[in-house]
Amino acid sequence: MTSLLSDTPTPLTEATPPSEARSLPDAPPSEARSLPGAAPLPNTSLRTEDALLGSHSADAYAELMHEVVDALAQRFTSVDAPTSANDRTSLEAEVADFDLDGQGIGNIAALREADDLYARNAVWFHHPSYVAHLNCPVAVPAVAAEAMLAAINTSVDTYDQSEVATLMERRLVQWACRHVGFSGGDGIFTSGGTQSNLQALFLARENVLRAQQAQRAQQPQVLGSAQSGCGEPSRREIMSRLRILTTSQTHFSISRAAYILGLDAEAVVTVDTDAAGRMDAEALTELMRDIDDTGGIVMAVAATAGTTDLGVIDPLDAIAEICGGANVWMHVDAAYGGGLLWAPRRKHLLQGIGRATSVTIDFHKTFFQPVSSSALLVRDLALFDPTLHHNDYLNPEAEAQGTDAEPNQVDKSLQTTRRFDALKLWTTLRARGATEIGSMVDTVCDLAAEVRELLNAQPDFEVLGATDLSTVLFRFAPASAEAATADELVPMIRRVLFRSGRAAIARTTIDGTPWLKLTLLNPDTTVADITAVLDLVRATGHGILAGRHLESTTLEGGAA
């Protein structure tokens, strides 16, 4: 195996020689005796030495981290392709070859091994030929902060486990709410857009159910006659009528959330879009009217600020006007487009987002943070009430009612144990400033616009639709190829380039037609870099066509 970590053999306990190792004092005889019939107590004089991080292992920790950082720095400077080009079969065999139940090989040896297995075969998002998914290169100060938060291992569920970390996260939430336009808002950091969207719809469901039950409770006779004399409708009966309105371009996590939340199969209703793929406000109005007329209840409208494929933004102002008039929860999934709030030249594209009820923002997309760093923001703290659950060992209700109650963030989170991921964003803001980050978002959007112009000028490429952000849908379609052939080439070109390690491109299907997709999230990538990728696509496409022609000619010749 080839590793970039030092090859100098290092014993497991290098930092703490046996002669210098500290041990716990032996327990007094009276305390060392075990209960009758019980197994002997373990030998408490043994130390973990450099197995666990603490004062006794600080030197070993520093040495190990230095070696890892040096090895990674060398890989970043030498990597020449976005993927390893190793086929899955060989990788599976390599992974299966390790004994995970065997004797430990020591800290440094294990990290050398991980460098050779993982880092050598990693997918590198910083490489200019990686243009596949919503993965960004990461801010240097955020990576350093990641090491800090991992070592300290803070959990920000309760204040007594986190102290200043909780206060820092709350300050960041207030900062984000201010930029969204939630003057009295609040929020919580989550693992990603999927969790943020799930919690937003959970809050919508519970707040709507509470409002419906309170409203119906005031007129039980009417409800009783309408529902077989049962009096006040049950929670299940109301849930069966709840509907979420969204478009076909909305992230799949919305439909998945509806399923997890126990809504009916028909709960997610698709709103028509305009030619660009944005939600049609007039169609939304008509659909809401139809649902109301047929006895349904619109639980939420899920708008998108940056669709995954087309990169377009729904008309937030118009949707907010409709939702506000109907008193309907408006959720904006801005996991992709949330960074525009800080982009000097494109902030206006999110006009109306401050009128929403809840907003998802993924900082690990357009704020260049390491995974994971997402947040759910709501316009009113009281909207988090359905999440609150008191536990005597964690956040007892009696203490919460006190005048000096601790700010326990588990009160607002679906997670209990939760990493201090906010530290990465905090450090990035302090190191680089929000304006610089926002300018990087403008830069990748500018790049997407230039690439679209470049593709439009190429006769052997087709381009689909417009984009508000940094995705570009295109495909190789030379005049000599029929539409069906161009369809077949899309997955083949992607697969050949990925397996060769030369480029990582995504693919998707819009209205039955397959497209290649460029997702541009690296502000250091240039038009020349993308031109090189497009040349690879063209050459690969021509190569596949030439191979097909040769095969058909050979078969025809053989048959003759």
Side-chain angles (χ1 to χ4, degrees):
M1 295 190 292
T2 303
S3 172
L4 292 178
L5 286 168
S6 169
D7 290 327
T8 304
T10 307
L12 175 64
T13 58
E14 178 189 34
T16 311
S19 60
E20 300 174 13
R22 292 175 294 174
S23 62
L24 292 173
D26 293 334
S30 60
E31 297 180 11
R33 289 195 296 269
S34 59
L35 294 174
L41 290 175
N43 184 355
T44 56
S45 66
L46 295 177
R47 292 303 302 260
T48 58
E49 296 178 330
D50 59 351
L52 299 180
L53 183 53
S55 60
H56 61 285
S57 58
D59 290 343
Y61 159 73
E63 180 180 357
L64 191 64
M65 291 298 291
H66 281 305
E67 291 227 20
V68 171
V69 169
D70 289 346
L72 282 175
Q74 186 175 339
R75 286 204 181 274
F76 271 101
T77 58
S78 61
V79 65
D80 58 0
T83 66
S84 67
N86 286 335
D87 66 276
R88 189 169 70 241
T89 300
S90 64
L91 289 176
E92 288 175 343
E94 190 171 354
V95 169
D97 195 43
F98 289 92
D99 180 7
L100 300 181
D101 289 313
Q103 183 73 27
I105 61 175
N107 295 353
I108 291 181
L111 265 298
R112 289 179 191 149
E113 194 176 80
D115 172 73
D116 186 65
L117 177 64
Y118 167 53
R120 179 172 57 86
N121 295 301
V123 177
W124 298 97
F125 302 145
H126 75 285
H127 194 279
S129 294
Y130 182 89
V131 288
H133 300 287
L134 284 166
N135 307 115
C136 59
V138 290
V140 173
V143 177
E146 177 82 60
M148 185 185 297
L149 71 91
I152 298 173
N153 201 32
T154 295
S155 179
V156 285
D157 49 332
T158 58
Y159 183 74
D160 65 350
Q161 298 177 71
S162 56
E163 295 192 313
V164 73
T166 282
L167 303 181
M168 292 169 72
E169 179 175 319
R170 287 167 67 91
R171 175 73 187 280
L172 275 176
V173 165
Q174 293 164 6
W175 166 81
C177 282
R178 176 169 56 82
H179 282 274
V180 167
F182 290 165
S183 59
D186 204 347
I188 195 75
F189 271 66
T190 72
S191 65
T194 295
Q195 184 184 341
S196 294
N197 288 342
L198 171 63
Q199 183 165 4
L201 294 180
F202 164 72
L203 295 177
R205 185 193 71 180
E206 292 305 302
N207 279 283
V208 169
L209 283 172
R210 293 181 181 189
Q212 286 289 321
Q213 289 173 322
Q215 177 183 340
R216 303 303 194 209
Q218 297 175 3
Q219 41 182 339
Q221 299 85 359
V222 176
L223 283 172
S225 61
Q227 301 195 21
S228 306
C230 296
E232 182 180 341
S234 68
R235 177 184 173 90
R236 180 67 256 176
E237 288 169 334
I238 298 175
M239 279 184 59
S240 69
R241 300 162 57 202
L242 297 182
R243 300 292 181 264
I244 301 170
L245 309 189
T246 192
T247 75
S248 59
Q249 293 301 308
T250 299
H251 194 263
F252 69 86
S253 60
I254 298 297
S255 295
R256 177 185 284 177
Y259 176 79
I260 294 172
L261 293 173
L263 303 184
D264 284 4
E266 62 271 20
V268 179
V269 184
T270 302
V271 184
D272 290 340
T273 59
D274 61 17
R278 301 181 179 91
M279 183 180 290
D280 186 315
E282 291 186 5
L284 174 63
T285 300
E286 294 177 8
L287 188 55
M288 289 176 67
R289 186 183 303 118
D290 291 344
I291 290 173
D292 186 61
D293 290 344
T294 55
I297 301 170
V298 180
M299 181 187 106
V301 173
T304 307
T307 57
T308 304
D309 283 337
L310 296 170
V312 297
I313 298 170
D314 289 335
L316 304 181
D317 240 348
I319 296 171
E321 191 70 24
I322 296 167
C323 291
N327 195 28
V328 166
W329 187 294
M330 176 184 172
H331 175 64
V332 178
D333 178 2
Y336 179 14
L340 291 177
L341 285 167
W342 292 268
R345 291 183 283 108
R346 286 180 172 81
K347 181 178 180 180
H348 66 279
L349 295 176
L350 296 184
Q351 181 68 35
I353 195 171
R355 302 172 66 186
T357 316
S358 57
V359 173
T360 287
I361 296 179
D362 274 4
F363 297 108
H364 57 233
K365 289 186 172 69
T366 47
F367 244 80
F368 310 103
Q369 296 298 288
V371 174
S372 58
S373 183
S374 178
L376 169 65
L377 308 175
V378 297
R379 70 182 179 200
D380 187 342
L381 170 61
L383 297 173
F384 271 119
D385 285 353
T387 305
L388 178 60
H389 183 83
H390 289 290
N391 294 275
D392 288 340
Y393 78 94
L394 195 67
N395 60 338
E397 186 171 7
E399 291 184 9
Q401 303 302 324
T403 56
D404 191 30
E406 293 179 344
N408 294 320
Q409 295 200 103
V410 72
D411 296 350
K412 299 179 293 185
S413 176
L414 294 183
Q415 295 173 262
T416 304
T417 302
R418 194 164 54 84
R419 302 176 83 237
F420 182 31
D421 286 314
L423 179 65
K424 296 176 289 189
L425 179 59
W426 178 285
T427 308
T428 302
L429 291 173
R430 295 297 300 143
R432 311 306 310 181
T435 300
E436 181 178 342
I437 300 299
S439 296
M440 290 180 184
V441 177
D442 271 335
T443 296
V444 295
C445 293
D446 290 341
L447 177 62
E450 292 183 65
V451 170
R452 286 183 58 79
E453 291 182 8
L454 177 67
L455 284 165
N456 279 323
Q458 306 296 313
D460 51 356
F461 284 117
E462 292 180 359
V463 186
L464 178 67
T467 182
D468 296 319
L469 286 162
S470 59
T471 59
V472 181
L473 297 185
F474 75 105
R475 64 188 197 152
F476 176 66
S480 60
E482 298 179 352
T485 301
D487 289 351
E488 295 171 358
L489 286 175
V490 167
M492 297 175 70
I493 290 172
R494 174 195 168 273
R495 185 166 56 250
V496 168
L497 290 179
F498 182 80
R499 288 182 175 177
S500 70
R502 292 176 293 172
I505 302 174
R507 84 293 196 203
T508 190
T509 300
I510 303 292
D511 296 330
T513 300
W515 297 89
L516 292 169
K517 182 172 72 168
L518 304 176
T519 307
L520 307 174
L521 281 183
N522 188 345
D524 290 330
T525 298
T526 65
V527 173
D529 292 327
I530 303 303
T531 299
V533 172
L534 298 178
D535 288 343
L536 287 173
V537 170
R538 180 185 286 110
T540 303
H542 280 303
I544 293 172
L545 291 176
R548 285 186 168 188
H549 176 71
L550 179 61
E551 182 180 6
S552 64
T553 302
T554 302
L555 290 174
E556 289 173 3

